[in-house]
Amino acid sequence: MINLRSLYQLQKLDLEMDGQKSSLIAIEESIHDKSKLDQLQSRLQINREKSKKDKVEQNGVDGLVHELQDKSTDLERRLYDGSVTNVKEMESLTAELEYVKKQLNVAEEELLFLMLELENSGKEQIQIESALTDCELEQRESNFALTKELDSITSLLETNLKERENLAKSISATLLTQYERIRKGKLGQGVAEVKGGRCMACLLTLPTKQMQHLRSADEINTCNSCGRILFVS
């Protein structure tokens, strides 16, 4: 006697286990997914490197500002302390002072820009570090829950595997081989239940003669359309 009922029950287990295995893969991927953390850490690293570069540049510009201020003060002193009386020399000093003051204005604007950049970078760093802390906490909590779910599904899968082993003992090796072959090419479904004279996998209406054959427990029938093993409950 061909035990199609057991085969149909075995398929139910197989489909359930397929879902459980997919869930385990998805959970494992979620647990190991650190893309959000990596993104925040990358942003923090970029921010720190930019701040470091701006700080070095600020120090250089700050030094230049002090140098130009000293030079401007010295030129003004020479112009107005009465030590220079030659007209051409005074004109030369005046031109040089104007040039130094222009350079000083540019340097001071650049220094102000860098100070603002550093201030903004500091604020952004605080925001990123806060987001990073929140993300790490969220991931720990999420991974704790996912690990519990992983253990639960793993336990169910182990139980189903044992039940499948026991159920498979009541099915002939030939039928099992045929089922496994069909199942591989049919999205995991090798057996189709028949209801109302139709194959419930592809919804084909079965010929009357085939319906009569289906009532025999000693004959394997497959659907002429989808090729699955047919089972009448």
Side-chain angles (χ1 to χ4, degrees):
M1 181 179 289
I2 299 171
N3 198 343
L4 288 176
R5 184 174 297 278
S6 292
L7 184 65
Y8 186 67
Q9 291 301 320
L10 184 133
Q11 175 174 266
K12 282 185 175 181
L13 280 174
D14 281 341
L15 292 173
E16 186 177 342
M17 287 190 295
D18 287 345
Q20 289 166 344
K21 289 172 184 176
S22 295
S23 295
L24 289 177
I25 292 171
I27 291 171
E28 287 280 4
E29 288 176 351
S30 294
I31 289 174
H32 293 100
D33 180 15
K34 292 182 173 54
S35 57
K36 191 175 179 181
L37 273 175
D38 291 342
Q39 185 181 18
L40 286 169
Q41 287 169 343
S42 177
R43 282 181 58 198
L44 185 60
Q45 181 65 23
I46 291 170
N47 176 276
R48 285 173 174 168
E49 288 175 358
K50 183 180 183 302
S51 294
K52 185 178 179 181
K53 180 183 176 182
D54 286 346
K55 186 64 179 175
V56 170
E57 193 172 348
Q58 183 196 34
N59 290 337
V61 175
D62 189 52
L64 177 62
V65 166
H66 282 91
E67 182 183 332
L68 291 170
Q69 285 174 338
D70 291 342
K71 191 171 184 180
S72 176
T73 301
D74 182 61
L75 287 169
E76 286 179 337
R77 180 187 59 76
R78 290 173 61 194
L79 271 173
Y80 302 119
D81 66 0
S83 61
V84 178
T85 56
N86 183 283
V87 175
K88 286 187 177 181
E89 190 175 349
M90 289 186 70
E91 287 176 350
S92 176
L93 284 173
T94 300
E96 186 178 358
L97 179 60
E98 287 179 359
Y99 177 72
V100 169
K101 284 185 174 181
K102 285 180 182 179
Q103 284 186 311
L104 180 59
N105 285 335
V106 172
E108 286 176 338
E109 286 179 4
E110 187 176 356
L111 181 61
L112 179 60
F113 172 77
L114 289 168
M115 289 171 68
L116 289 172
E117 283 288 291
L118 281 167
E119 184 180 347
N120 291 333
S121 293
K123 290 177 181 177
E124 185 180 2
Q125 181 173 329
I126 290 171
Q127 291 174 348
I128 296 172
E129 287 173 342
S130 176
L132 191 57
T133 300
D134 291 342
C135 184
E136 287 171 343
L137 178 60
E138 180 184 331
Q139 186 150 38
R140 281 197 298 270
E141 291 174 347
S142 174
N143 285 355
F144 179 76
L146 287 171
T147 300
K148 287 182 68 176
E149 186 179 356
L150 189 75
D151 293 341
S152 176
I153 294 174
T154 300
S155 178
L156 287 172
L157 183 59
E158 289 173 354
T159 300
N160 284 342
L161 281 169
K162 289 177 183 177
E163 186 177 346
R164 188 191 192 280
E165 288 176 6
N166 292 330
L167 198 56
K169 292 175 184 177
S170 64
I171 304 168
S172 71
T174 302
L175 183 56
L176 270 177
T177 301
Q178 184 179 0
Y179 161 73
E180 292 290 357
R181 177 179 55 78
I182 296 172
R183 170 176 150 79
K184 284 180 181 178
K186 300 294 180 180
L187 301 176
Q189 188 178 0
V191 181
E193 188 176 7
V194 176
K195 285 185 178 179
R198 291 195 302 174
C199 168
M200 298 311 294
C202 66
L203 302 180
L204 174 76
T205 298
L206 303 174
T208 303
K209 188 174 181 181
Q210 188 172 24
M211 285 298 300
Q212 292 172 350
H213 289 164
L214 283 172
R215 304 189 186 284
S216 170
D218 297 319
E219 187 176 350
I220 298 173
N221 282 270
T222 57
C223 176
N224 293 330
S225 174
C226 67
R228 291 178 175 91
I229 298 169
L230 296 171
F231 164 67
V232 180
S233 58

